[in-house]
């Protein structure tokens, strides 16, 4: 069932999806923001309350619970406002991410607007509603013209028409969406645990800096030969890239995948199979760009320094990347990929520059690593790649849950002002 609503206060509407228990109950109503929420500005909070950071990820949360390094003077603290559990806070960027909720008793900057429920409202319902696509669009529409970063006032909020279903339906919707949040949070913790497990495993499977051997070897290699320090260029052919002239349209859109800084988000995920930009044969022939073989390993030398990937098909790269094509008899490309991932702290330390940090070519020319035998390389690569596959599968589950919740919210919250 499609929703329908007039613009004024008290207008009725019906969401696309309702729970069976409330299917035949009263239609939803709307009310101005100031009828549902009052503004509170108590600057005489009890002493010792935590200072709250207002974030889109965590809502209002004590600063010492997250990485938040903004100092506050004792004089400034005198102007801070009290926030009670259940209060809502208009974020400095509320029109980008909704209105934040506090589960904590604390204080926050006087720059924020604190909202407290009037009467019988389900706070958990409005916590979800203020993050819904329908409300964000409404908020953005009403705030059109405001510069990025400027906070809305209570007066502007008070003029917004807010959804107000019957209290039991508010509770029903809140319970449903909070159960999904619980699943999403559990999936996130699972991913964090897998990522931490992988990081810990890599610390043991590769020698630490200054060490000659790893702390952990697979049983079949415990008595095998030691890892030997080798010059990477003796095991793989090093290559680089170039950017064809952008003023020549015939050099582009020719079907040859070309890895550039625009592909930063596609790196660190094992294989890279797509690129934001493609070039042409003419682009290759009329520049210093080179077509590298499928299976080659690339690494970013600046702007995301240390990010790496393996080419799923023949590709060219921009000058911001170094490419290694491994001698498969001596070096596994997947072992090299995981080794580069493990060596990110080294690359980050070696990067220099004030604006964009970069690593000079000579560093890569001289690069040496401790390398085990080819069979042990393969065993390590297979183990870590399997773990990456598991992390990728669990990441997909997490994204599916988020998409499901987003779609459900679009059905549960009608859009105000639509026919």
């Amino acid at each position: 069932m499609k929703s329908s609503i007039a613009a004024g206060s008290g207008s009725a509407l019906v969401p696309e999806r309702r729970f069976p228990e409330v299917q035949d109950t009263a239609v939803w109503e709307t009310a101005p923001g100031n009828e549902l929420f009052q503004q509170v500005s108590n600057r005489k909070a009890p002493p010792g309350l935590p200072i709250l950071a207002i974030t889109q990820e965590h809502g209002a949360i004590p600063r010492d619970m997250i990485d938040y390094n903004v100092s506050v003077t004792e004089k400034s603290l005198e102007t801070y406002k009290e926030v009670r559990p259940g209060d809502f806070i208009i974020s400095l960027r509320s029109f980008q991410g909704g209105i934040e909720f506090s589960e904590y008793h604390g204080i926050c900057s006087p720059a924020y607007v604190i909202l407290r429920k009037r009467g019988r409202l389900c706070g958990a319902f409005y916590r979800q509603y203020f993050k819904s696509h329908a409300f964000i669009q409404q908020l953005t529409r009403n705030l059109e013209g405001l510069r990025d970063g400027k906070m809305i006032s209570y007066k502007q909020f008070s003029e917004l028409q807010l959804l107000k279903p019957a209290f039991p339906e508010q509770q029903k919707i809140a319970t449903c969406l909070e159960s999904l949040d619980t699943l999403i949070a559990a999936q996130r913790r699972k991913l964090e645990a897998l990522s931490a497990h992988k990081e810990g495993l890599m610390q043991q499977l590769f020698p630490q800096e200054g060490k000659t051997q790893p702390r952990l070897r697979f049983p079949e290699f415990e008595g095998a030969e030691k890892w030997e320090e080798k010059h990477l260029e003796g095991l793989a052919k090093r290559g680089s890239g170039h950017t064809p002239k952008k003023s020549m349209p015939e050099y582009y859109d020719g079907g040859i995948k070309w890895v550039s800084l625009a592909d930063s988000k596609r790196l660190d995920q094992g294989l890279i199979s797509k690129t934001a930009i493609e070039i042409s044969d003419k682009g290759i022939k009329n520049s210093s760009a080179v077509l590298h073989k499928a299976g080659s390993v690339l690494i970013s030398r600046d702007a995301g320094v240390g990010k790496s990937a393996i080419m799923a098909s023949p590709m060219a790269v921009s000058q911001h990347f170094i490419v290694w094509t491994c001698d498969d008899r001596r070096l596994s490309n997947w072992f090299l990929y995981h080794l580069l991932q493990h060596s990110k702290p080294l690359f980050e330390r070696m990067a220099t520059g004030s604006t964009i940090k970069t690593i000079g070519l000579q560093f890569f020319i001289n690069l040496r690593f401790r390398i085990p035998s080819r069979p042990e390389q393969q065993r390590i690569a297979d183990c870590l790649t399997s773990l990456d596959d598991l992390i990728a599968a669990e990441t997909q589950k997490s994204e599916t849950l988020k998409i499901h919740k987003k779609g459900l919210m679009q059905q549960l919250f009608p859009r105000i002002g639509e026919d």
Side-chain angles (χ1 to χ4, degrees):
M1 183 185 303
K2 293 294 182 182
S3 61
S4 177
I5 182 170
S9 173
S11 299
L13 69 160
V14 178
E16 185 177 340
R17 173 176 291 193
R18 301 184 82 180
F19 294 95
E21 306 93 302
V22 296
Q23 188 70 45
D24 299 322
T25 59
V27 295
W28 290 26
E29 294 184 348
T30 64
N34 61 351
E35 285 189 13
L36 301 183
F37 294 88
Q38 62 179 316
Q39 180 181 14
V40 292
S41 301
N42 178 27
R43 288 180 167 82
K44 295 182 179 180
L49 293 178
I51 302 173
L52 302 180
I54 315 302
T55 71
Q56 289 185 23
E57 183 179 0
H58 305 288
I61 189 170
R63 290 181 176 183
D64 59 6
M65 293 179 65
I66 58 173
D67 185 14
Y68 196 92
N69 301 311
V70 178
S71 59
V72 182
T73 65
E74 288 295 326
K75 187 68 176 174
S76 296
L77 284 176
E78 295 175 4
T79 67
Y80 272 43
K81 302 176 184 178
E82 181 183 13
V83 178
R84 295 179 186 172
D87 285 346
F88 290 86
I89 301 169
I90 298 179
S91 169
L92 290 171
R93 299 182 182 273
S94 56
F95 50 96
Q96 295 179 348
I99 294 174
E100 307 305 335
F101 180 80
S102 179
E103 295 179 343
Y104 299 92
H105 191 189
I107 56 176
C108 74
S109 165
Y112 293 103
V113 176
I114 302 171
L115 306 171
R116 190 164 294 161
K117 301 189 301 290
R118 295 183 188 269
R120 192 167 183 246
L121 297 175
C122 177
F125 170 83
Y126 286 95
R127 183 179 186 178
Q128 298 287 345
Y129 171 48
F130 287 152
K131 288 293 184 179
S132 69
H133 182 66
F135 178 76
I136 298 298
Q137 281 202 325
Q138 179 193 2
L139 191 61
T140 304
R141 186 168 62 246
N142 281 274
L143 299 178
E144 187 175 355
L146 283 185
R147 294 195 307 273
D148 184 27
K150 186 175 180 181
M151 191 172 71
I152 68 171
S153 66
Y154 178 67
K155 180 178 183 299
Q156 289 167 314
F157 172 80
S158 70
E159 294 170 352
L160 292 173
Q161 290 294 317
L162 305 182
L163 294 175
K164 188 188 178 185
F167 186 77
E169 191 162 4
Q170 293 180 30
Q171 290 180 307
K172 196 74 180 171
I173 291 171
T175 300
C176 171
L177 295 176
E178 285 186 327
S179 67
L180 267 177
D181 286 340
T182 300
L183 287 175
I184 291 169
Q187 188 64 26
R188 182 182 66 248
R189 290 192 296 271
K190 187 175 183 180
L191 272 171
E192 289 170 351
L194 280 171
S195 297
H197 171 64
K198 181 192 172 187
E199 181 62 29
L201 189 58
M202 291 177 75
Q203 293 296 326
Q204 296 185 75
L205 288 175
F206 294 106
Q208 300 299 300
E209 287 188 47
K211 302 294 183 180
T212 60
Q213 300 298 315
R215 285 179 287 180
L216 176 67
R217 298 182 82 170
F218 291 98
E220 61 268 38
F221 298 105
E222 284 182 355
E225 59 200 63
K226 294 183 178 181
W227 290 37
E228 295 182 10
E229 187 176 64
K230 295 183 179 181
H231 190 200
L232 185 54
E233 288 206 0
L235 305 173
K237 178 183 177 183
R238 177 179 50 81
S240 58
H242 193 258
T243 300
K245 284 186 179 179
K246 294 185 177 179
S247 60
M248 306 293 286
E250 63 268 29
Y251 291 175
Y252 289 85
D253 299 323
I256 297 175
K257 294 177 175 61
W258 180 70
V259 185
S260 66
L261 295 181
D263 297 303
S264 180
K265 291 183 178 179
R266 292 185 169 96
L267 305 180
D268 288 350
Q269 298 180 40
L271 289 174
I272 179 170
S273 56
K274 296 180 180 179
T275 59
I277 302 170
E278 294 184 349
I279 61 176
S280 65
D281 285 328
K282 284 188 176 181
I284 291 279
K285 292 174 182 176
N286 291 280
S287 73
S288 298
V290 177
L291 190 61
H292 301 281
K293 293 180 179 179
S296 297
V297 183
L298 63 91
I299 186 171
S300 175
R301 52 185 291 197
D302 54 28
V305 62
K307 286 190 170 188
S308 56
I310 294 179
M311 296 177 178
S313 61
M315 296 183 183
V317 301
S318 73
Q319 65 273 19
H320 302 285
F321 296 89
I322 298 292
V323 179
W324 284 286
T325 303
C326 299
D327 178 350
D328 190 57
R329 297 167 300 174
R330 306 177 65 195
L331 181 63
S332 158
N333 59 346
W334 279 103
F335 175 83
L336 176 58
Y337 167 74
H338 291 297
L339 179 58
L340 296 178
Q341 290 279 300
H342 172 69
S343 303
K344 269 189 177 183
L346 168 65
F347 300 133
E348 290 167 357
R349 286 201 310 272
M350 297 307 300
T352 59
S354 55
T355 306
I356 298 178
K357 291 187 177 295
T358 188
I359 300 179
L361 178 60
Q362 193 61 46
F363 170 83
F364 293 107
I365 293 174
N366 297 335
L367 192 55
R368 302 175 71 88
F369 286 117
R370 288 198 173 273
I371 306 290
S373 66
R374 184 62 176 77
E376 189 170 1
Q377 293 176 32
Q378 194 64 51
R379 184 72 174 86
I380 292 170
D382 289 345
C383 171
L384 294 175
T385 300
S386 295
L387 197 49
D388 278 346
D389 290 343
L390 179 58
I391 290 172
E394 296 300 329
T395 300
Q396 184 58 52
K397 289 181 185 178
S398 181
E399 291 305 310
T400 299
L401 281 170
K402 291 176 184 177
I403 291 170
H404 173 63
K405 182 188 175 186
K406 182 178 179 180
L408 186 58
M409 290 176 76
Q410 289 176 349
Q411 294 177 311
L412 291 174
F413 296 113
R415 296 188 184 189
I416 291 179
E418 289 192 353
D419 294 324

